[in-house]
Amino acid sequence: MSTRLDWISRPAGPLRGELRVPGDKSISHRALMLASLAEGRSCIEGFLEGEDTRATAAVLQQLGVCITAPTGGVRVVDGVGLHGLRASEQPLDCGNAGTGMRLLAGLLAGQGFDSTLVGDASLSRRPMRRVIDPLTAMGAHIDSRDGLPPLHIRGGSGLHGVKADTPVASAQVKSAILLAGLYAEGTTEVHEPQPTRDYTERMLAAFGWPITFGPGWARLDGGHRLQAVDVRIPGDFSSAAFFIVAACVTPGSRLVLREVGLNPRRTGLLDVLRAMGADITIEHLGEQGGEPVGDLRVGHASLRGIEVPVALVADMIDECPALFVAAACAQGRTVLRGAAELRVKESDRIAVMAAGMRRLGVAVTERPDGAVIEGGALRGGEADSCGDHRCAMSFALAGLVAAAPVRIRDCANVATSFPGFLDAARAAGMVVGTVPAADEALE
Ligand code: S3P
């Protein structure tokens, strides 16, 4: 991780103009992995130049794949074929990235060599049993202490297909099982309690692997081959979400976000904001590399609090921190339930957002699986992102609409998913900048 860094976000607005957010993080990870296992050369455009996705690229290079970056946002990958990866003597460092570690665990379980996956302090606290258990059921051997990283993956295990019913709705878990399934004998089938993002499935199909899937399930057989293909990655909806909320809550705003990925498994926040009264329209809806993509036109509107439908939570899981700010700016009460997964993200996002918003004068009651947020005025002050990129960017939104500046602690990890956030935010009309990290603890 980079050195510690705080931000100050000042009251400002309106937000105007047009913006392009960086490439989708989930798709960037998957494109690198599948291109590495494919036969031939793939060119990935719109690649997210974030610390998470660069960590995955570095791991794959360590495993013998030639990946070059002719320009920013582009990766050229010379695939080594399904069985062409080579052992690394050194541990493979996934940095802050849960997606990197969990998907790589599935992929490495099928190799003929041993590997060790490690991560930073935050990733080292995140639960891995959810991938260890189903992969073990497929014949993998993975050692860990208490289900936490590092993961020691023994090669040469000879995997077999399974029918897995995943206990949590997690695209990372589903993807780990499917990637192991490429190496397994027979059929691998995954069923989820709620449908999650289907990028692995779509991308496997694009790379020529026979797969059938629908919302909440996927099935494939081992023993096929991946063929190189060029990939164009759309803008990351989760990065766009900060600007969507910012424009919604800042009077006079009119913002256009260009070429945002609009896979229905990602856009739950649009449905929720519209139910709260937001003014959001989708324009130029089309398809890019098998993914729905469009422009979003967002204007300011008076929001009202709602009960967030539990069925939408999986489709907006990464946008919940930003929802806290939208809810604080709305009239009345917003209730978020069915979101216990937030507690095992890069931070405990329920606790971090509740504590930060309370410090800014918002009445928030934590629940085990969500929060109750009362709309009202935000005052200035300090909020601690606890090193969580999405909480940091959400508190920056809070500063935009607060009565006085907001200092946000520990923001360096924003580089994991959105390294150009500050520039993009300033271009849109926000007044936010860096300051040296404060040393004293928050009371
Ligand atoms: C991701 C899936 C989600 C999401 C994460 C990225 C992916 O995690 O929160 O940011 O790329 O598959 P879970 O699978 O843990 O729900």
Side-chain angles (χ1 to χ4, degrees), residues 51-52 55 59 92-97 100-101 104 117-120 123:
E51 287 175 359
D52 276 12
V59 166
L92 304 163
D93 189 352
C94 301
N96 192 244
M101 183 171 286
L104 284 166
L117 290 169
V118 299
D120 71 3
L123 183 52

Side-chain angles (χ1 to χ4, degrees), residues 217-307:
W217 66 274
R219 185 187 317 119
L220 56 74
D221 288 326
H224 297 281
R225 295 153 89 154
L226 295 164
Q227 294 300 334
V229 71
D230 291 342
V231 180
R232 173 140 188 80
I233 299 176
D236 196 318
F237 183 86
S238 297
S239 297
F242 300 105
F243 293 102
I244 296 171
V245 171
C248 281
V249 298
T250 314
S253 295
R254 269 205 324 269
L255 204 59
V256 178
L257 295 150
R258 296 271 180 224
E259 289 187 41
V260 181
L262 296 173
N263 182 308
R265 297 279 75 84
R266 295 292 296 284
T267 53
L269 180 75
L270 290 185
D271 299 327
V272 168
L273 288 174
R274 281 176 171 150
M276 293 173 82
D279 168 18
I280 305 172
T281 47
I282 298 176
E283 296 173 351
H284 307 122
L285 185 61
E287 221 191 74
Q288 198 173 283
E291 285 292 332
V293 176
D295 298 342
L296 296 172
R297 187 175 292 275
V298 191
H300 169 256
S302 311
L303 302 183
R304 53 187 175 274
I306 60 161
E307 295 236 354

Side-chain angles (χ1 to χ4, degrees), residues 25-26 30 99 102 130 169-173 197 317-318 341 345 390:
K25 179 151 74 76
S26 294
R30 288 159 171 82
T99 306
R102 294 193 178 116
R130 52 182 60 197
S170 161
Q172 294 175 359
V173 173
R197 62 192 76 185
I317 194 69
D318 291 339
E341 274 295 297
K345 295 293 178 188
R390 300 203 193 283

